[in-house]
Amino acid sequence: MVASTHWLASAAGMAVLEGGGNAFDAAVAAGFALHVVEPHLNGPGGEVPAIFVTAGDQRPTVLCGQGVAPAAATIDRFAGLELVPGTGLLPATVPGAVPAWLTLLRDHGTLALRDVLTYAIGYAEAGYVPISGLRQTVGAVEEMFRKAWPTSAEQWLPLPGPGEVQRNRPLAATYRRLLDETEAVGPDREAQLDAAITAWSEGFVAEAIDTFCRTPVLDDSGEPHAGLLTGQDCAAWRPSYEAPVSLRTNGWTVYKVGPWCQGPVLLQQLALLDALGPLPDHGSADLVHRITEVAKLAFADREAWYGEGSEVSVDELLAAGYAKERAALVGAEASLELRPGAPGDRTLRLPRYLTTQRPEAASAQLGALGDPTVSRHGTTRGDTCHLDVADRWGNMISATPSGGWLQSSPTIPALGFCLGTRGQMFWLEEGLPASLVPGRRPRATLTPSFARRDGRLLAFGTPGGDQQDQWQLGFFLNHAVFGLDLQASIDAPAWHTTAFPSSFYPRTTVPGGLVAESRLGEPVLAELARRGHRVTVSDGWSLGRLSAVARDEDGLLRAAANPRGMQGYAVGR
């Protein structure tokens, strides 16, 4: 089974499975395909975290494909800026996506790189019909490309007409050169993949990145800046494996990536809901209100305590006593405050920018379908792709590739892709869990999910920036508590709150903000407004791009994908 956010990626993954590859071969093929067909949502210059189990080891494992801040990226180097810019070269971290996919293929796949990369090369060379979100994104930044980022203008302009195809021949050439250098070492598959990782991180790709980063480019600070990322930064980093964090709830164990991303916030929400007792009726105003208020509390803790520099453990944040204490703050009316807790009676400290500037947006930004909200300067709120794969042998993976968005950094012409901007999620203030520190991972939003109940396994996720673990919470409760099947759990009306600081530049918040699909119904929406929520009504089918795969105890495979946008696709046999 393959489920992803784009039908061509799902088709590539399924073709690999049909040809005898395993789930990891298929995931890599789908991941590389997503780089080509959803370039406004992810790219080779971005990152990917994943959670997986193998046929031989059913314990979930995290693959970290999130690169780190460059060695030169000290807070002093950003003097004069309040925030790390959200576009350009300054916010680039080490590109982690491709090394992570190559590492996964080497360690757990069965096929050669050529066998899985051929689909992406084909789409890049022969072309694909761009989805509407891609066309809208390029249209939004066309003027900026023409005036400030000529390499991006050369790659992405003019937009193809209706029914015409988009190509990326420079990226195809990069992948073909990668294959040439890979196969030059001989026929051994593992040696070939080691060579591919070296060529990417230490060879011609790293060299092109280093050269390109030395030229200043305009970013959304309004000034041109050169990048800090070097080829040595790329050479010094490699993907890694680590244990997930988890919570037992409703008969399931839910697994997430650790607090260098926002993953534990899903577990915190579940812990608070457990502390509040049985859930209100499905689809009711009481349910939406409770989940929304719980989300505000969990995401407030994210702002205070998540990041590689945190002294607070996930166990402390998930402790029953702490969850009960936090859950007691949920009232009958919508809270308009940011209320982090103080686990272990620690002294609370939020970033100065949040406590002195309090950047508030006039209304919620509707990141419809999980696609990014993009300004004409390339500033992006929301992002990402997602894929889930399961095979007949018992391998399963959930992965959320993102970053390297075409609109957020200028195209490197020698490579056909741009760098990521995940560094915008660091704070330019010493001593915070998510402070900018050379060699540290940013507190990212990418958050794949895995769950187990007895012998049943479930992999799921969605794009959507800060909304990812809100939409995933709704999906999981629909399935685990209310008994809906996978597709119905995805199809059910969705909502999210914007009442906490965005992870994306310029880090705005909407106090009391609640974005909800109109299918919740006028009585429910009116009741939520009466309780003090600042309700923004979205189109009935507009929030989230979830996908999921599951394996039952008897080995039966299931999958589902999001109908919103008519783009996601689940396929299997």
Side-chain angles (χ1 to χ4, degrees):
M1 287 287 184
V2 183
S4 85
T5 50
H6 196 289
W7 68 90
L8 289 177
S10 296
M14 193 62 204
V16 168
L17 292 177
E18 293 277 11
N22 70 13
F24 307 114
D25 299 317
V28 174
F32 276 110
L34 286 171
H35 288 169
V36 177
V37 300
E38 289 194 316
H40 60 310
L41 301 176
N42 82 137
E47 48 275 332
V48 58
I51 306 177
F52 65 92
V53 298
T54 68
D57 186 354
Q58 292 287 287
R59 294 172 299 178
T61 298
V62 170
L63 170 64
C64 173
Q66 172 60 65
V68 299
T74 64
I75 289 176
D76 288 344
R77 291 293 294 269
F78 287 77
L81 296 174
E82 286 188 307
L83 296 172
V84 178
T87 63
L89 298 176
L90 268 184
T93 55
V94 173
V98 169
W101 288 128
L102 296 175
T103 298
L104 182 71
L105 184 63
R106 180 195 66 193
D107 296 344
H108 299 289
T110 64
L111 300 180
L113 180 58
R114 180 175 294 276
D115 295 328
V116 299
L117 197 51
T118 183
Y119 306 95
I121 292 173
Y123 294 138
E125 284 184 338
Y128 58 94
V129 177
I131 57 177
S132 60
L134 172 54
R135 296 176 60 83
Q136 291 164 9
T137 297
V138 174
V141 293
E142 179 175 357
E143 181 180 0
M144 193 261 294
F145 277 9
R146 294 191 187 280
K147 291 182 177 180
W149 293 359
T151 59
S152 295
E154 182 177 358
Q155 171 58 46
W156 298 107
L157 300 177
L159 283 166
E164 296 179 346
V165 298
Q166 178 75 54
R167 295 180 176 88
N168 189 340
R169 291 190 176 96
L171 178 59
T174 295
Y175 286 159
R176 287 199 178 280
R177 181 173 175 182
L178 187 66
L179 286 177
D180 289 342
E181 298 201 12
T182 294
E183 294 169 349
V185 303
D188 183 77
R189 194 186 77 91
E190 186 171 332
Q192 287 185 352
L193 287 162
D194 282 336
I197 294 170
T198 299
W200 192 274
S201 298
E202 302 178 36
F204 76 98
V205 174
E207 292 169 2
I209 289 171
D210 191 310
T211 299
F212 191 76
C213 281
R214 307 287 74 83
T215 302
V217 300
L218 183 69
D219 57 46
D220 52 15
S221 72
E223 300 292 334
H225 295 98
L228 301 175
L229 186 66
T230 66
Q232 183 55 44
D233 292 316
C234 298
W237 179 86
R238 288 295 187 272
S240 59
Y241 297 109
E242 58 191 56
V245 295
S246 64
L247 178 75
R248 181 76 176 169
T249 179
N250 295 294
W252 291 76
T253 302
V254 182
Y255 301 89
K256 297 292 291 186
V257 179
W260 56 264
C261 80
Q262 69 177 355
V265 80
L266 175 62
L267 306 183
Q268 279 201 262
Q269 291 174 91
L270 288 166
L272 267 65
L273 289 173
D274 287 348
L276 288 168
L279 291 174
D281 291 343
H282 188 261
S284 67
D286 287 341
L287 179 69
V288 177
H289 173 77
R290 181 180 294 188
I291 290 176
T292 299
E293 293 305 295
V294 159
K296 293 174 186 177
L297 295 170
F299 279 88
D301 273 0
R302 183 196 74 170
E303 293 307 304
W305 305 114
Y306 287 24
E308 283 210 293
S310 182
E311 62 181 27
V312 177
S313 70
V314 174
D315 287 343
E316 290 178 272
L317 294 170
L318 298 179
Y322 183 67
K324 183 177 180 180
E325 172 190 324
R326 297 288 283 149
L329 297 176
V330 175
E333 304 296 321
S335 170
L336 303 182
E337 300 176 4
L338 185 68
R339 299 182 291 175
D345 294 323
R346 288 177 174 81
T347 300
L348 176 65
R349 178 187 167 198
L350 287 169
R352 266 194 317 271
Y353 182 79
L354 298 180
T355 57
T356 60
Q357 301 290 331
R358 295 191 61 82
E360 296 184 5
S363 63
Q365 299 287 334
L366 297 182
L369 307 177
D371 281 355
T373 303
V374 182
S375 78
R376 62 188 179 88
H377 303 295
T379 305
T380 302
R381 300 177 183 87
D383 62 311
T384 313
C385 309
H386 186 78
L387 62 90
D388 304 293
V389 186
D391 65 28
R392 60 187 178 274
W393 297 290
N395 302 299
M396 184 181 290
I397 184 169
S398 173
T400 309
S402 184
W405 313 308
L406 70 88
Q407 68 274 15
S408 294
S409 192
T411 298
I412 303 172
L415 300 175
F417 65 85
C418 63
L419 294 172
T421 55
R422 194 63 61 177
Q424 66 185 290
M425 295 176 183
F426 288 116
W427 292 106
L428 297 178
E429 179 181 346
E430 301 282 359
L432 297 169
S435 294
L436 176 63
V437 174
R440 177 180 283 181
R441 291 174 290 190
R443 199 278 298 145
T445 53
L446 310 178
T447 175
S449 296
F450 217 89
R452 181 199 305 275
R453 187 189 66 193
D454 301 324
R456 188 164 192 262
L457 292 175
L458 173 64
F460 59 101
T462 181
D466 294 308
Q467 286 74 56
Q468 289 177 36
D469 275 322
Q470 298 188 67
W471 295 333
Q472 291 185 78
L473 175 64
F475 164 83
F476 180 75
L477 295 176
N478 288 337
H479 185 60
V481 178
F482 295 110
L484 279 63
D485 65 32
L486 295 183
Q487 192 62 56
S489 297
I490 290 174
D491 292 352
W495 64 89
H496 65 266
T497 179
T498 52
F500 54 85
S502 169
S503 298
F504 300 88
Y505 182 95
R507 313 299 285 264
T508 56
T509 184
V510 182
L514 174 62
V515 183
E517 289 183 334
S518 61
R519 289 184 296 131
L520 278 174
E522 181 55 36
V524 170
L525 295 170
E527 173 60 17
L528 292 168
R530 188 194 67 78
R531 296 187 187 195
H533 296 280
R534 293 174 59 182
V535 179
T536 300
V537 180
S538 179
D539 180 77
W541 294 87
S542 62
L543 300 180
R545 288 200 293 141
L546 282 146
S547 65
V549 299
R551 189 179 78 232
D552 292 349
E553 294 182 42
D554 61 2
L556 178 66
L557 299 179
R558 306 175 188 270
N562 182 50
R564 297 163 176 88
M566 297 182 290
Q567 179 183 325
Y569 200 72
V571 60
R573 73 171 180 89

